Amino acid sequence: MEQQFPLLPRHLAIIMDGNGRWAQARGLARVDGHRAGAEAVRTVVTECRRLGIPHLTLYAFSSENWNRPKAEVAALFGLLLDFLGVEVPRMEREDIRLMVLGDVDGLPLAQRTALRHGMSRTAHCRSMTLNLALNYGGRAEIVRAARRMAEAGIAPDGYTEERFADFLYTEGQPDPDLLVRTSGEQRLSNYLLYQCAYSEFYFTPVAWPDFGVEALHEALRVYAGRSRRFGKTQEQIDGR
Ligand code: FPP
């Protein structure tokens, strides 16, 4: 496995796009696409855990997704509840910690309760962290962090980039090394704006429901072949 992926991301972030188009292309309802998408979530979490990727973040529901038809929003939250019911006990067994990035208080009661339960049940888990971005928006996260920092009474000269990161939802976690977006779109859509400053981006035409172990491996192979310089020259990095 080490040979297959000489370099694994410490943090993989995914924008799971294309459930609706996947369903429409098969003459199915959009909800069927989301159901298939939830299966892809299980596959990808399992494989990331197996490979030893310590942080995985999935964009499951953006703050803009409330604008979708009511029935679709309800179906998405239903799938989330089903997912948590099955997966939280498994996550506990597999030592996977559940975290939520986003405004949990703005979620429906049943989902809020299940998420809080899942987070407390897995709070001790250390092998991997699964972040579900739910009711999440990147700009709102930055504004919230600034507000929380001011509320903490930090003086202006204490506003450093590192300190600021401690007030984001991802506090204590490394920035994403690799950001994957499925289904052909090539944009960030208000996702992890602060954290993705130096992330490698990988876009694939594969729709999220079809994003299985093979597609994940391909993304990881491409990532392993990238040269990350963080603004330095290759000579500086090589110590020449
Ligand atoms: C984008 O597809 C996907 C979403 C808005 C939601 C993602 C949700 C899931 C994968 C299922 C439930 C999640 C969990 C964690 C159980 P889209 O509908 O925007 O696709 P389209 O662009 O083709 O219309």
Side-chain angles (χ1 to χ4, degrees):
M1 205 182 314
E2 287 74 8
Q3 268 178 347
Q4 192 177 6
F5 304 111
L7 180 69
L8 280 171
R10 278 199 303 158
H11 187 167
L12 167 64
I14 306 183
I15 301 179
M16 310 182 288
D17 200 5
N19 295 347
R21 278 165 284 169
W22 181 92
Q24 275 154 5
R26 286 159 182 76
L28 301 169
R30 292 179 59 82
V31 172
D32 297 318
H34 294 313
R35 193 170 299 115
E39 284 310 311
V41 170
R42 295 176 209 268
T43 305
V44 166
V45 172
T46 304
E47 184 60 7
C48 287
R49 171 71 180 87
R50 194 186 72 81
L51 290 170
I53 294 174
H55 301 266
L56 172 66
T57 301
L58 302 176
Y59 207 175
F61 193 85
S62 77
S63 31
E64 290 77 30
N65 285 152
W66 291 108
N67 298 321
R68 295 195 172 207
K70 257 186 166 178
E72 185 175 341
V73 171
L76 278 168
F77 283 128
L79 285 169
L80 175 64
L81 216 49
D82 295 346
F83 176 84
L84 294 171
V86 176
E87 296 304 318
V88 165
R90 194 173 73 105
M91 288 172 69
E92 210 182 346
R93 282 197 304 278
E94 308 253 317
D95 200 34
I96 303 175
R97 181 176 191 182
L98 175 69
M99 299 277 280
V100 175
L101 315 184
D103 180 14
V104 183
D105 291 339
L107 295 172
L109 180 64
Q111 284 72 13
R112 206 160 68 207
T113 308
L115 287 164
R116 293 225 166 96
H117 171 76
M119 285 191 279
S120 79
R121 281 271 300 269
T122 61
H124 60 284
C125 299
R126 289 291 174 270
S127 294
M128 176 178 164
T129 300
L130 170 64
N131 299 302
L132 293 182
L134 286 161
N135 200 15
Y136 173 86
R139 286 184 174 177
E141 179 187 31
I142 291 169
V143 171
R144 173 183 176 272
R147 192 174 291 139
R148 293 179 71 224
M149 231 172 148
E151 282 165 4
I154 293 163
D157 62 359
Y159 276 62
T160 62
E161 291 180 14
E162 293 74 22
R163 198 90 189 269
F164 192 81
D166 289 341
F167 290 85
L168 297 168
Y169 291 117
T170 45
E171 177 199 350
Q173 300 192 50
D175 287 340
D177 299 298
L178 174 63
L179 174 101
V180 169
R181 183 167 188 154
T182 59
S183 207
E185 311 296 345
Q186 303 195 3
R187 55 177 172 263
L188 209 42
S189 299
N190 205 15
Y191 189 46
L192 303 174
L193 296 181
Y194 194 87
Q195 297 89 335
C196 282
Y198 284 102
S199 305
E200 292 293 324
F201 286 8
Y202 173 82
F203 301 107
T204 171
V206 174
W208 176 250
D210 288 333
F211 193 88
V213 169
E214 258 321 299
L216 174 65
H217 286 190
E218 179 56 20
L220 295 173
R221 268 193 292 274
V222 169
Y223 170 75
R226 296 265 175 98
S227 121
R228 302 184 76 199
R229 293 196 291 275
F230 300 97
K232 297 181 179 172
T233 66
Q234 193 58 51
E235 286 73 18
Q236 286 172 311
I237 288 169
D238 296 343
R240 283 185 262 148

